[in-house]
Amino acid sequence: MVTAKFFGMISVDNNLKNISVNEGTVKDAIKEIADITTINKKQLEQAVIVVNNEFKEGKSRFKTHLKSGDELVFMSPVCGG
Amino acid sequence: MNGITGKVLRVNLTTKEIDLYPIDVRDYELYLGGKSLAAKIIYDSLSKKTDAYDEENMIVVTSGVLTGSTAPCSSRFNISTISPLTGLLTSSNCGGNFALHLKKAGYDGLVITGRSEDFVYIDILDGEVVIKDATHLKGLSTSETQSAMGGKRGKIVIGPAGENKVRYAAVISEERAAGRGGVGAVFGDKRLKGVIASGTGKFSYHNKENFKKHNKQWINLLKKHPITGEQLPKLGTAGLVSMMHYKNLLATNNYQAGSYSDFEMVSGEALREEELIKNKGCVTCPIQCGRVVNAYGKAVKGPELETLGLLGANILNNDLKSIINLNYLCDEYGIDTMTFGGTLAHVMELNQKGMWDNGLEFNNTKNLEDLVKKISLREGIGDELAEGSKRVSEKYGGTDFAMHVKGMEIAAYEPRAAQGMGLGYATSNRGGCHLNGGYMVVVEGLGLNVSGRTTKGKAGLTIFFQDLMEAVSASGNCIFTTYAILPEFLVKKPNHFITRLINKLVPSFGGLTGFLHNNSWLMNFNLKTLIPQAYSIKQITGVKMNINKLVQAGERSYNLERLVNIRQGLEGKDDTLPKRLRKELQRESDSLSKVRLEEMLSTYYKVRGWDSFGVPTDKRLKKLGIKW
């Protein structure tokens, strides 16, 4: 399983810190998370995405492959303060 | 001129003389108030190098031109003096309500000179000033002192740490702290336990209707903006910890790393979920970034980001409750949590390296709460830690990893992943300060996503933000209002191709901001939604304020503070960072992960109009109207 973690407003607004998702691509993970949590797909797509401590940018971020043991992080982009 | 009382009170604690400081009303237009007006007063008053503990040293407490109005986040005040930590000019900014009360009492500011024989406090009520005996307040904590002073009035006080001249003693107002630079120690040296003020003075507006209309828009802007309307109210400043960890910006293990494996235990999310009782904010603040949490069975002010970072990751402390307790104790005894954290990390590393057997270890919070008391009372090992990391390193070694700039410990942002922030720390007038340094880290990863690895354009951008924040602070406004300058679209949509393009292009704008800095007449206009402060000042005071004049007021102040520091002995070589940040790679895999100061500093001096030794040129001073 892949561990998906949530930080910032995504975590606060949905009262969720982390869940496990299946292996696949980031796109697959987003669909799965949107299906089983209150987080909407758009919010996940607009989030800052980090896979195993590496920031993923651009459209290709959705194609990033996730294998068992990986960490997928979604952070609300609003983190200034 | 509206919006001001036009009076600055002067109290000599040696002679007990009370009179008015001869302030020129034109100085309010040129310096706006706050730290800038204080710098002007100190620059004019001290004619030679002065030690923090000389009787001639002065404490200047100032409000800003916005203070007293209903402008958002405008209740802040500033305390400036010669710092016992740095020997240079320090300015410490604080929220709460004291500035409002001082202005209602009839004064824009307060200049305190001399030294009393016994502890006293100053009572200001509707223009009447009395120096009162405070010997019965000696030894009391900051909350006890405020309670004993009585009444719902504005108060600034010191605790035992200030009385004992801990070099990083704070001044406390309600639960808010003017923490940095050791202003509380100078209060202690002058045997001034505090000031209490209140009055019935009314605030005057040049054009109240225009102000109110603009003010409504400004407040809406802040409430709508994703940072000031969502992030800060919901997570407080602590909400940054997570992003800082992932971006290698979180000072960890005395800045030996930029990320902390246990960050989730001491993050803003954890603080909210496990400890938050409610939000709290200053008077006139629509943001409400303050946290109320529980410590020792009391509802108290929660830790800010800097405290979470420096008493958390930086000493490898994953115990959130211990940080909350330490934060509370530091406020009660009256010491700066940031320098306390920075000094702790340094002595822990000294112990780890076998350079000083002091019993303090990373990842071990045992005895730290007792240590706050020992430092404040200068007992045992506390007496040495009360001197700060610079002086400790001069005695025990480890200057390469004493993480201060010019004597003041740097903030929780690890600059090896944010070159502009590194330049800001190195050039900040008051030492290792992120805010006085221009807070470039917000552009370099925490708000926008401009690369923190490149040095390109960072000199011009750093100067722009240093000057802007200097002016905003001087006006009495909270610097958090400047986040509105970051376009909502760019903040909310980091993956959009336009956002990514702009993030890539921003370093190239550095040259443009440098050009604008030296041709600021091109900004002779107001953009009410981008920099609302300028238009607000205009409607309150009647002064023809615009972006150019506002930013130039910041530049004028930055140069004036620099001149005070040069008189205090500052040299260009002091614009540097601890060796660890300049020479050691943060990550072995990234050859750019150290602060390349040499690639930025000469451009910084050039754009500032300073010579190669970091001294403002006659031409620049003439342009700014400063006599040297």
Side-chain angles (χ1 to χ4, degrees):
Chain A
M1 296 297 280
V2 174
T3 303
K5 293 185 172 182
F6 309 95
F7 295 101
M9 302 318 300
I10 299 178
S11 172
V12 170
D13 291 343
N14 298 283
N15 196 24
L16 187 65
K17 286 202 291 194
N18 53 64
I19 58 168
S20 293
V21 294
N22 291 308
E23 292 181 43
T25 62
V26 169
K27 189 179 176 182
D28 298 331
I30 287 174
K31 186 175 182 310
E32 189 180 343
I33 295 164
D35 284 345
I36 60 176
T37 71
T38 56
I39 311 175
N40 71 53
K41 198 175 158 198
K42 199 174 173 187
Q43 200 177 4
L44 292 165
E45 286 172 348
Q46 285 182 351
V48 173
I49 294 175
V50 188
V51 176
N52 297 333
N53 288 316
E54 193 179 321
F55 283 79
K56 299 291 177 186
E57 292 183 338
K59 283 184 179 170
S60 63
R61 70 189 184 281
F62 297 125
K63 294 176 186 165
T64 307
H65 190 73
L66 303 166
K67 58 183 188 310
S68 185
D70 282 353
E71 182 189 82
L72 169 64
V73 169
F74 293 93
M75 258 184 282
S76 55
V78 189
C79 272
Chain B
M1 189 170 173
N2 290 284
I4 59 169
T5 68
K7 290 181 193 169
V8 172
L9 179 68
R10 181 166 57 186
V11 178
N12 185 321
L13 293 176
T14 304
T15 63
K16 313 296 181 201
E17 279 177 282
I18 298 167
D19 63 359
L20 291 179
Y21 178 86
I23 197 86
D24 183 342
V25 74
R26 169 95 173 132
D27 286 341
Y28 288 94
E29 184 178 345
L30 295 175
Y31 295 96
L32 305 175
K35 74 199 300 278
S36 306
L37 191 63
K40 173 75 167 114
I41 291 170
I42 290 173
Y43 179 73
D44 288 344
S45 303
L46 299 180
S47 55
K48 59 180 175 44
K49 183 176 178 178
T50 304
D51 186 79
Y53 297 145
D54 282 348
E55 199 174 313
E56 290 73 29
N57 188 17
M58 58 207 308
I59 298 164
V60 183
V61 185
T62 34
S63 61
V65 289
L66 292 177
T67 313
S69 75
T70 54
C73 318
S74 60
S75 69
R76 301 189 71 87
F77 67 95
N78 174 84
I79 304 178
S80 288
T81 189
I82 301 301
S83 163
L85 263 185
T86 64
L88 306 172
L89 178 64
T90 193
S91 52
S92 200
N93 196 269
C94 185
N97 62 20
F98 180 76
L100 283 178
H101 284 290
L102 182 65
K103 220 162 183 176
K104 281 187 172 184
Y107 301 104
D108 298 316
L110 174 60
V111 175
I112 299 155
T113 61
R115 183 187 292 122
S116 173
E117 282 184 18
D118 291 314
F119 269 92
V120 294
Y121 71 97
I122 300 169
D123 190 327
I124 309 167
L125 179 62
D126 263 329
E128 294 298 315
V129 185
V130 184
I131 301 171
K132 294 184 171 174
D133 173 56
T135 50
H136 62 295
L137 302 175
K138 202 167 171 235
L140 296 186
S141 73
T142 57
S143 66
E144 288 167 344
T145 304
Q146 292 184 79
S147 293
M149 281 174 153
K152 289 184 178 176
R153 305 175 65 192
K155 295 160 200 162
I156 51 175
V157 302
I158 58 169
E163 293 171 21
N164 292 308
K165 297 201 284 188
V166 172
R167 286 188 189 270
Y168 44 97
V171 170
I172 303 290
S173 183
E174 296 182 290
E175 289 179 311
R176 296 266 167 175
R180 304 238 69 193
V183 291
V186 182
F187 270 57
D189 181 67
K190 295 191 176 303
R191 301 197 182 95
L192 177 66
K193 184 68 176 171
V195 182
I196 182 167
S198 60
T200 53
K202 302 285 181 211
F203 191 80
S204 66
Y205 295 86
H206 168 69
N207 188 328
K208 196 168 183 178
E209 284 311 305
N210 279 357
F211 169 81
K212 276 170 72 178
K213 200 173 154 192
H214 171 63
N215 209 43
K216 201 174 167 186
Q217 289 171 343
W218 188 2
I219 291 169
N220 283 339
L221 181 76
L222 291 170
K223 284 185 170 173
K224 243 181 66 187
H225 197 277
I227 296 177
T228 50
E230 278 192 274
Q231 176 84 4
L232 284 168
K234 289 185 179 174
L235 285 169
T237 54
L240 286 172
V241 169
S242 307
M243 187 67 97
M244 286 167 71
H245 161 81
Y246 282 106
K247 295 219 164 173
N248 293 303
L249 291 167
L250 182 61
T252 302
N253 200 15
N254 197 27
Y255 300 81
Q256 292 184 75
S259 58
Y260 179 41
S261 55
D262 287 347
F263 77 97
E264 287 171 80
M265 297 167 76
V266 289
S267 67
E269 291 85 350
L271 186 69
R272 177 185 167 92
E273 188 182 317
E274 297 165 22
E275 303 289 346
L276 183 68
I277 298 172
K278 62 176 181 178
N279 291 11
K280 195 176 179 182
C282 303
V283 188
T284 74
C285 177
I287 301 173
Q288 303 284 299
C289 72
R291 315 280 90 182
V292 177
V293 298
N294 192 300
Y296 303 108
K298 294 178 194 168
V300 302
K301 182 191 77 179
E304 301 284 347
L305 177 275
E306 303 301 334
T307 307
L308 273 177
L310 293 170
L311 289 174
N314 205 38
I315 58 170
L316 302 184
N317 175 17
N318 61 16
D319 181 354
L320 186 56
K321 199 74 200 174
S322 87
I323 300 173
I324 289 171
N325 289 346
L326 288 170
N327 183 58
Y328 170 71
L329 290 174
C330 285
D331 284 353
E332 282 295 293
Y333 282 96
I335 69 173
D336 174 25
T337 56
M338 293 172 69
T339 284
F340 173 53
T343 303
L344 266 183
H346 177 65
V347 300
M348 285 172 174
E349 190 167 344
L350 282 174
N351 188 34
Q352 189 180 51
K353 287 185 157 63
M355 298 167 77
W356 181 24
D357 182 13
N358 54 46
L360 295 165
E361 297 170 332
F362 289 108
N363 194 21
N364 184 354
T365 57
K366 196 180 167 192
N367 300 327
L368 289 189
E369 291 172 28
D370 188 46
L371 189 61
V372 176
K373 182 182 174 187
K374 283 184 174 166
I375 290 172
S376 302
L377 301 181
R378 283 188 171 271
E379 287 175 353
I381 189 180
D383 190 36
E384 304 212 62
L385 267 68
E387 294 291 290
S389 61
K390 176 177 182 280
R391 286 170 177 81
V392 168
S393 72
E394 285 165 358
K395 181 172 178 183
Y396 292 100
T399 52
D400 293 353
F401 56 86
M403 307 306 288
H404 66 84
V405 173
K406 302 182 176 93
M408 190 168 86
E409 286 68 14
I410 62 179
Y413 304 99
E414 221 282 30
R416 286 178 292 186
Q419 298 292 326
M421 191 68 264
L423 176 64
Y425 280 141
T427 54
S428 158
N429 281 320
R430 71 173 183 172
C433 175
H434 55 304
L435 301 173
N436 195 213
Y439 210 5
M440 275 290 288
V441 72
V442 168
V443 177
E444 294 175 301
L446 298 182
L448 299 185
N449 198 22
V450 173
S451 172
R453 296 173 77 237
T454 182
T455 56
K456 188 181 173 187
K458 296 296 170 67
L461 289 164
T462 299
I463 289 168
F464 175 79
F465 282 108
Q466 284 179 337
D467 290 351
L468 177 64
M469 291 173 73
E470 185 91 349
V472 168
S473 174
S475 73
N477 208 207
C478 174
I479 52 96
F480 285 178
T481 60
T482 57
Y483 292 138
I485 205 172
L486 302 176
E488 193 179 328
F489 177 85
L490 301 183
V491 177
K492 273 191 132 170
K493 299 193 173 177
N495 294 306
H496 197 282
F497 81 95
I498 292 175
T499 308
R500 288 164 52 222
L501 180 67
I502 289 176
N503 281 331
K504 279 209 168 68
L505 289 175
V506 164
S508 304
F509 298 162
L512 177 65
T513 50
F515 176 79
L516 283 174
H517 177 80
N518 292 320
N519 297 275
S520 58
W521 56 271
L522 290 167
M523 299 185 287
N524 261 333
F525 53 84
N526 270 307
L527 279 175
K528 292 189 219 171
T529 53
L530 192 68
I531 301 181
Q533 292 85 355
Y535 188 76
S536 198
I537 292 168
K538 183 179 175 180
Q539 298 311 324
I540 287 172
T541 62
V543 168
K544 288 178 182 167
M545 186 59 62
N546 55 36
I547 296 174
N548 171 30
K549 284 192 169 182
L550 185 78
V551 175
Q552 207 171 70
E555 185 191 1
R556 186 176 295 111
S557 175
Y558 222 87
N559 279 270
L560 197 70
E561 289 180 335
R562 181 82 177 181
L563 291 179
V564 175
N565 283 349
I566 288 170
R567 197 159 59 192
Q568 288 296 116
L570 179 88
E571 296 177 31
K573 66 179 174 55
D574 299 317
D575 293 330
T576 189
L577 294 168
K579 194 174 175 184
R580 168 162 290 163
L581 301 175
R582 291 179 290 111
K583 300 294 181 187
E584 294 176 21
L585 291 177
Q586 186 195 60
R587 283 157 288 127
E588 286 300 324
S589 59
D590 184 354
S591 62
L592 296 179
S593 63
K594 59 183 180 181
V595 182
R596 283 116 56 209
L597 205 52
E598 67 286 353
E599 293 176 21
M600 300 179 281
L601 197 57
S602 58
T603 308
Y604 178 92
Y605 282 177
K606 195 175 168 188
V607 176
R608 273 250 175 253
W610 297 353
D611 67 19
S612 58
F613 300 101
V615 178
T617 58
D618 291 343
K619 189 179 166 191
R620 180 58 51 126
L621 294 179
K622 192 176 173 189
K623 183 187 167 195
L624 296 170
I626 298 172
K627 288 178 188 165
W628 175 235

